Amino acid sequence: MNDAAPHHDPGHRHAHSHARGHGHGHGHAHGHTHGPVDYGRAFAIGTALNLIFVVVEGTAGFLTDSVALLADAGHNLSDVLGLLLAWGGAKLATRPASKRFTYGFRGSSILAALGNAVLLLFAVGGIAWEAVGRFSAPPPVAGGTVMAVAAVGIAVNVATALLFVGGRKGDINIRGAYLHMAADAAVSAGVVIGGALILWTGAGWIDPAISLAIVAVILWSTWGLLRESLTMVLDAVPAGIDPDAVRAALVALPGVARVHDLHIWPMSTTEAAMTAHLVMPGGHPGDAFLGDLAHRLAHDFGIDHITVQIELGEGAECRLHGPSHV
């Protein structure tokens, strides 16, 4: 073994090579990191606002016997739990790596996003069950009270959603929190409309009908979160990365004859990792090549952590089944 000393540059990239003909390169470029942003203050404010509103709305729902208000309060309670879950995932993701958890706890943000989606599904099931039962014997509802409380809900949910609007595109954990709040604002607006219709028509069935509309809105906003978090748990290529484009970029590198065993997966809701075997008949290209490769993959594809094995192509390739390994 003849290990080269790590090479450091301003982007903090490093590489090391092993033996003649085979090498492993590892790099990450912090200059283009997609790591989590600290939303601790936003989570604290959002959780406090929603917890206070849950108490107010739930109390009003019991006093007015409004299943729409109770449904919205129950959903807001699930949002408080969801915010706490997302907050916990975000905090765990910042913990450093250890001997046992060599990537740290970055994956906890993925689990938090999945947990949020599952929590919402349980919440809508309870809302739908109660609403359907109320169709047969709808109780009288104080439409004015319903409208007033729901109007407060619009303000609370819009304010909370705005706390997370900046991170909704780059982090599905933050997007989960944002979607909950944005959906709740729309739901509260629907409750206001329902209260007005009850005052106008006196029809009691409007209240459970609004509750089912709430269920539909929540399901629609949750489906994408559930699907994407599930694929992340299964180590699928992150939605924003085109594996064919990554493969093409690797094959186009000077000295690369072919690429195999290409794997791209999410380390967290904001960071991606990649491993690949590059067949280079001319031998190991050196640390500068690996450093530039790390920089390019981070800049062009958002892949923050790479490990590359260099091979001469003399029959030592690792062969697994599937198109991503050939």
Side-chain angles (χ1 to χ4, degrees):
M1 289 280 185
N2 181 22
D3 291 353
H7 166 74
H8 295 274
D9 66 12
H12 189 65
R13 296 181 292 270
H14 52 89
H16 53 92
S17 60
H18 300 280
R20 278 182 67 203
H22 297 282
H24 299 269
H26 162 80
H28 46 94
H30 294 303
H32 298 282
T33 183
H34 292 71
V37 178
D38 187 4
Y39 279 89
R41 186 168 179 269
F43 278 120
I45 295 172
T47 300
L49 285 175
N50 279 271
L51 193 56
I52 293 170
F53 181 62
V54 164
V55 174
V56 173
E57 188 174 35
T59 301
F62 277 115
L63 293 177
T64 61
D65 203 19
S66 168
V67 69
L69 280 181
L70 290 174
D72 199 32
H75 176 53
N76 274 294
L77 180 58
S78 76
D79 280 345
V80 171
L81 298 176
L83 284 172
L84 291 174
L85 187 62
W87 191 0
K91 290 296 290 182
L92 279 174
T94 64
R95 292 187 61 180
S98 66
K99 289 183 179 179
R100 182 168 180 80
F101 297 94
T102 56
Y103 277 135
F105 291 85
R106 289 175 170 88
S108 59
S109 59
I110 300 174
L111 293 177
L114 178 60
N116 255 322
V118 173
L119 185 65
L120 276 170
L121 292 180
F122 277 106
V124 298
I127 294 171
W129 179 268
E130 180 67 19
V132 170
R134 292 252 176 159
F135 271 110
S136 58
V141 175
T145 303
V146 170
M147 292 174 64
V149 175
V152 175
I154 294 175
V156 169
N157 290 312
V158 167
T160 307
L162 289 175
L163 295 173
F164 301 102
V165 68
R168 72 190 190 282
K169 293 182 179 180
D171 187 341
I172 68 165
N173 190 32
I174 300 301
R175 191 197 315 166
Y178 170 79
L179 284 176
H180 285 187
M181 299 302 108
D184 279 352
V187 164
S188 295
V191 173
V192 170
I193 295 171
L197 291 174
I198 290 172
L199 286 177
W200 183 38
T201 65
W205 61 264
I206 292 176
D207 186 63
I210 291 293
S211 299
L212 291 180
I214 290 173
V215 168
V217 170
I218 298 170
L219 284 175
W220 179 81
S221 63
T222 303
W223 173 246
L225 178 66
L226 177 64
R227 180 181 57 196
E228 190 169 349
S229 58
L230 274 175
T231 59
M232 282 190 162
V233 167
L234 295 174
D235 285 340
V237 177
I241 299 175
D242 182 353
D244 291 331
V246 173
R247 179 180 293 277
L250 293 174
V251 171
L253 293 171
V256 175
R258 61 184 180 277
V259 175
H260 67 97
D261 284 278
L262 172 62
H263 301 274
I264 307 169
W265 72 96
M267 290 195 301
S268 72
T269 52
T270 59
E271 298 166 290
M274 185 205 82
T275 61
H277 293 208
L278 305 183
V279 178
M280 304 184 72
H284 195 285
D287 290 352
F289 172 92
L290 296 172
D292 290 341
L293 176 59
H295 179 85
R296 179 177 178 183
L297 289 173
H299 181 273
D300 295 349
F301 300 102
I303 300 175
D304 308 275
H305 185 104
I306 72 165
T307 302
V308 172
Q309 178 167 309
I310 306 300
E311 298 173 354
L312 294 181
E314 297 175 344
E317 297 181 8
C318 171
R319 289 293 184 180
L320 299 177
H321 296 294
S324 65
H325 303 93
V326 296

